[in-house]
Amino acid sequence: MKPGLALRVSQHLSLTPQLQQSIQLLQLSTLELAQEVEQMLGDNPFLELANDEGDHATAGSSPEPEPAPAGAEALDGYQEGRSDSASASADWESSAEAAGAEAAETSGTAESMSWDGDGPSSSASDDRDWGSDAPTSRTRGQGDDDETDATELARSGESLTDYLHRQAMTLRLGEVDRAALRFLIENLNDDGYLEDPLEELARGLAGDDLEECEELVHRFTVALRLLQSLEPVGVGARDLAECLQLQLRDRLADAEREGEDEEAMATLRTAIDVCNQPMDLLARRDLRKLASLCSAREERLREALALIARLEPRPGRRFADVQRQIVVPDVIVRPVRSGGRMDFTVQLNPEVMPKLRVHDIYASALRGHRGSEGHAALQQRLQEARWFIKNIQQRFDTILRVSQAIVERQKNFFVHGELAMRPLVLRDIADALGLHESTISRVTTAKYMSTPQGTYELKYFFGSGLGTEAGGNASSTAVRALIKQFVAAEDPKKPLSDNQLADMLKEQGIECARRTVAKYRELLKIPPTTLRKAL
């Protein structure tokens, strides 16, 4: 082959470190952002929390308090004036839009946003402009009081296993039986069920030793009876049927001990017989088949099914860690009256905004030692700290702008609720703010808004539209709320079918097919007609 030279012009997408970090921070949830900030604080010595205005006073040599950086700007200052950050945010948003749309970008533009170097002399002379000062057991027969105590213990943070271990300590057991009981407690799932068979648990400990395996199965069988005698009733069950039976037998024992009437005890025995049958018959409420199998009158069977419906299918539910379900809103919407009409203000939640700034003393010391060994590497870390703060500012600025646009378009929802929700898609907000749909998608994912109607994810306010007889559109969210309203007002003895719900929506002027109604009903976790029918 003959060597030669040739020119070729091409375009490719190049994401700079700053842009990559901006996109990453934008799509993080509040918890993930806090973890990212914590990691950055540990990695970068030039970044610090601005919790105290006098932080640097103790570190400096002057005995008088050193004032906070004059140029430091709070992250929540966007609502009072954002002229400086608006231009930076616009540049970032246009870059993020290009990344989300996978548009081509020349490499020359990418090089202008490098982390390398000291940056312009004007910005290097005052690092404070990059900072931020953001504002911030009972055993059987002990009575109902112990049931309340167990709930209070669950609320106080005690886990199910801790509660069971504490009850097990009160039992007089040998060392081997105590160890077997403890082993079973540790193998319960969050709902209080023992999912693994005793033989499998024994094989996991004994291996191929059949004699030892049989001995362990015997020990575990005894320990299982002890476990199922503890509170909450039903704990240690292998499946739902056994869980219900344990609770019913406990109630039957209490009824016999208290001398209740024979009718009540007969209902309990019938309920136990029902739980001995295949669970799919109970799920389908097949009264005829259950009455035949249990040899019970239909009236007695209805009472037994009503009793079963009041049982707890998940004994460990009250010990679940509810803290992990707490949602901290990123945006707060408050109603205000202006000129006799209702209006709403949108502001960022200061509790979720990191209070960060560049460490002024370290930055000043670095400027005073230019040209020293390791200066370039330290200067790059300083630049990373600056960009990290800027990207966090731009993240919250974008969240606020998107939230304001959502509130402006869904104002009727904040006044009247779900039935007043308007159709809204990502493109509507993207076009209004000059952003790309991918940017709006990142902003509205895992970000929450506290409103007078409750706390919702930003994605909740988006929904497709269904045609109306008047030629307009109705939001799918409003249609689901209407279906929920219809079902709540139905006659329990004659629940509404999907066809009837579709006809009722049509009477309201909303064209909605039966299969669409069925889909919305399933999204609302409303059971079908056969399961909603009262016995």
Side-chain angles (χ1 to χ4, degrees):
M1 294 180 61
K2 185 178 181 179
L5 297 175
L7 294 176
R8 183 173 60 184
V9 179
S10 64
Q11 289 183 328
H12 67 279
L13 181 64
S14 179
L15 297 180
T16 63
Q18 302 96 304
L19 183 55
Q20 292 178 20
Q21 187 182 73
S22 298
I23 296 174
Q24 178 190 4
L25 292 177
L26 186 62
Q27 63 191 10
L28 295 180
S29 65
T30 299
L31 178 59
E32 292 170 337
L33 177 64
Q35 294 172 346
E36 186 73 16
V37 169
E38 185 177 354
Q39 180 178 353
M40 195 68 175
L41 286 169
D43 293 343
N44 197 318
F46 291 97
L47 200 63
E48 68 170 348
L49 285 173
N51 291 329
D52 189 356
E53 293 294 335
D55 280 347
H56 296 320
T58 57
S61 58
S62 175
E64 297 183 359
E66 188 174 355
E73 297 178 353
L75 287 180
D76 63 338
Y78 303 136
Q79 299 159 23
E80 300 175 357
R82 299 179 295 150
S83 58
D84 293 337
S85 63
S87 59
S89 177
D91 295 339
W92 168 78
E93 289 157 358
S94 61
S95 302
E97 176 181 348
E102 298 185 357
E105 187 176 355
T106 60
S107 59
T109 305
E111 292 174 358
S112 65
M113 299 180 67
S114 174
W115 263 341
D116 298 330
D118 196 12
S121 58
S122 58
S123 63
S125 61
D126 189 2
D127 291 323
R128 295 170 298 179
D129 291 340
W130 299 87
S132 169
D133 290 326
T136 24
S137 158
R138 68 179 179 107
T139 55
R140 296 285 184 260
Q142 284 186 341
D144 294 335
D145 292 339
D146 296 303
E147 185 77 14
T148 305
D149 293 341
T151 304
E152 293 300 324
L153 287 169
R155 291 174 180 172
S156 67
E158 186 175 28
S159 66
L160 175 63
T161 54
D162 291 341
Y163 183 52
L164 292 173
H165 283 316
R166 195 154 56 81
Q167 294 180 75
M169 291 292 291
T170 64
L171 302 177
R172 295 182 178 180
L173 300 175
E175 184 178 349
V176 176
D177 289 334
R178 186 177 299 278
L181 177 57
R182 183 177 184 84
F183 182 78
L184 293 186
I185 291 175
E186 293 294 336
N187 278 276
L188 296 175
N189 64 14
D190 292 339
D191 293 332
Y193 284 86
L194 185 65
E195 296 177 326
D196 299 323
L198 300 182
E199 294 77 8
E200 185 176 331
L201 294 174
R203 282 196 300 269
L205 295 176
D208 297 332
D209 192 333
L210 296 180
E211 185 176 347
E212 184 179 356
C213 185
E214 291 178 359
E215 175 65 20
L216 284 174
V217 170
H218 171 71
R219 294 290 184 180
F220 287 158
T221 303
V222 175
L224 181 61
R225 294 198 196 99
L226 292 171
L227 174 58
Q228 293 178 349
S229 69
L230 302 178
E231 283 293 328
V233 183
V235 70
R238 270 74 63 85
D239 52 38
L240 176 60
E242 186 178 16
C243 178
L244 299 177
Q245 290 175 37
L246 288 172
Q247 297 178 60
L248 290 169
R249 290 195 183 102
D250 179 71
R251 293 194 179 193
L252 181 59
D254 289 342
E256 292 174 346
R257 186 168 48 250
E258 295 172 5
E260 291 191 11
D261 61 276
E262 187 60 32
E263 285 293 322
M265 290 191 288
T267 301
L268 284 167
R269 293 189 185 98
T270 302
I272 294 174
D273 290 341
V274 170
C275 292
N276 282 322
Q277 308 307 322
M279 282 288 103
D280 60 327
L281 297 178
L282 180 60
R284 296 198 310 266
R285 298 186 181 185
D286 193 337
L287 296 181
R288 186 172 301 176
K289 189 71 175 290
L290 287 172
S292 175
L293 292 173
C294 299
S295 301
R297 303 192 315 270
E298 187 172 328
E299 182 181 354
R300 175 69 51 77
L301 186 60
R302 291 180 185 275
E303 294 175 355
L305 292 180
L307 178 60
I308 293 173
R310 295 194 295 269
L311 300 178
E312 174 57 79
R314 297 166 54 192
R317 186 204 304 265
R318 60 183 134 159
F319 292 89
D321 184 10
V322 296
Q323 295 297 324
R324 61 189 174 192
Q325 301 176 13
I326 294 177
V327 173
V328 180
D330 300 83
V331 181
I332 300 175
V333 178
R334 291 189 174 94
V336 292
R337 289 204 171 271
S338 176
R341 66 185 185 90
M342 182 67 72
D343 206 350
F344 297 90
T345 61
V346 185
Q347 65 181 32
L348 295 170
N349 183 3
E351 297 298 326
V352 303
M353 300 170 64
K355 306 170 186 179
L356 300 175
R357 64 185 175 194
V358 170
H359 202 297
D360 188 54
I361 294 177
Y362 290 173
S364 300
L366 182 62
R367 287 195 299 270
H369 293 80
R370 293 180 182 272
S372 61
E373 183 179 357
H375 179 272
L378 291 174
Q379 184 62 44
Q380 183 174 354
R381 300 308 302 274
L382 174 60
Q383 195 76 342
E384 290 176 8
R386 295 168 175 171
W387 274 108
F388 186 74
I389 294 173
K390 276 291 182 182
N391 287 334
I392 288 182
Q393 291 175 339
Q394 291 164 353
R395 174 189 186 272
F396 283 102
D397 184 75
T398 306
I399 291 174
L400 181 61
R401 292 179 58 202
V402 171
S403 301
Q404 288 172 336
I406 291 174
V407 172
E408 182 180 349
R409 284 157 181 77
Q410 299 289 10
K411 189 172 295 184
N412 289 335
F413 164 80
F414 298 102
V415 178
H416 304 292
E418 291 178 320
L419 292 174
M421 186 80 80
R422 294 175 51 190
L424 185 66
V425 294
L426 296 177
R427 178 172 291 278
D428 296 337
I429 302 297
D431 293 342
L433 300 181
L435 303 175
H436 193 269
E437 288 182 56
S438 62
T439 303
I440 305 301
S441 178
R442 292 186 181 98
V443 171
T444 56
T445 301
K447 316 296 187 304
Y448 293 87
M449 177 186 292
S450 175
T451 74
Q453 301 290 342
T455 300
Y456 301 92
E457 188 179 11
L458 295 186
K459 276 190 178 297
Y460 172 79
F461 298 97
F462 295 86
S464 58
L466 281 77
T468 63
E469 291 181 353
N473 288 320
S475 169
S476 58
T477 304
V479 174
R480 290 197 295 269
L482 202 55
I483 291 173
K484 187 193 300 182
Q485 193 177 83
F486 289 156
V487 172
E490 71 183 1
D491 183 358
K493 296 182 179 180
K494 295 181 180 180
L496 299 170
S497 65
D498 293 340
N499 280 325
Q500 290 174 315
L501 290 172
D503 293 340
M504 294 175 70
L505 290 173
K506 191 172 183 178
E507 292 175 2
Q508 300 290 327
I510 301 173
E511 297 291 338
C512 189
R514 183 203 62 80
R515 58 180 176 273
T516 306
V517 171
K519 182 182 73 172
Y520 288 167
R521 176 179 54 74
E522 291 172 359
L523 289 174
L524 293 169
K525 298 183 178 179
I526 298 175
T529 307
T530 55
L531 297 183
R532 299 203 311 272
K533 187 175 182 180
L535 295 174

